[in-house]
């Protein structure tokens, strides 16, 4: 659900967009840290916020890191 948000922010189309790993942090909603494969050997890390009911904010891309590899740790950023 955040693929288009990322593509707009980096001005690039991704034909591969496969979540490999994720972690969560509970705040006023849930923050998801997601490692996504976007090419054969290229990955991005996403920070996505999903709000609490009753607002149920749609997944929002809060931050991202490009140029990652499969072996890079998925840490808080």
């Amino acid at each position: 659900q955040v693929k288009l948000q990322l593509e707009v922010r980096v001005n690039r189309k991704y034909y591969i967009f496969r979540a490999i790993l994720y972690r969560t942090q509970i705040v006023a909603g849930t923050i998801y840290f997601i490692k996504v494969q976007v090419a054969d050997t290229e990955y991005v890390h996403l920070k996505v916020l999903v709000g609490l009911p009753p607002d149920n904010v749609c997944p929002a891309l809060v931050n991202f890191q490009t140029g990652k590899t499969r072996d890079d740790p998925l840490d808080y950023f």
Side-chain angles (χ1 to χ4, degrees):
Q1 291 184 350
V2 296
K3 179 182 178 193
L4 181 59
Q5 294 176 55
L6 178 64
E7 289 175 339
V8 167
R9 289 176 66 177
V10 298
N11 195 28
R12 179 177 171 190
K13 280 274 191 209
Y14 291 112
Y15 299 100
I16 298 173
F17 202 79
R18 184 176 313 127
I20 302 298
L21 177 70
Y22 77 95
R23 310 179 119 165
T24 60
Q25 178 183 7
I26 304 301
V27 290
T30 304
I31 293 178
Y32 292 88
F33 296 93
I34 309 167
K35 180 181 290 198
V36 177
Q37 182 179 11
V38 293
D40 288 339
T41 60
E42 186 181 350
Y43 295 78
V44 296
H45 290 181
L46 307 179
K47 183 177 182 181
V48 176
L49 174 64
V50 178
L52 290 173
D55 298 329
N56 279 345
V57 176
C58 291
L61 181 62
V62 176
N63 202 350
F64 62 92
Q65 297 176 333
T66 58
K68 296 294 186 175
T69 67
R70 184 174 183 93
D71 296 328
D72 287 334
L74 182 60
D75 294 324
Y76 179 89
F77 61 94

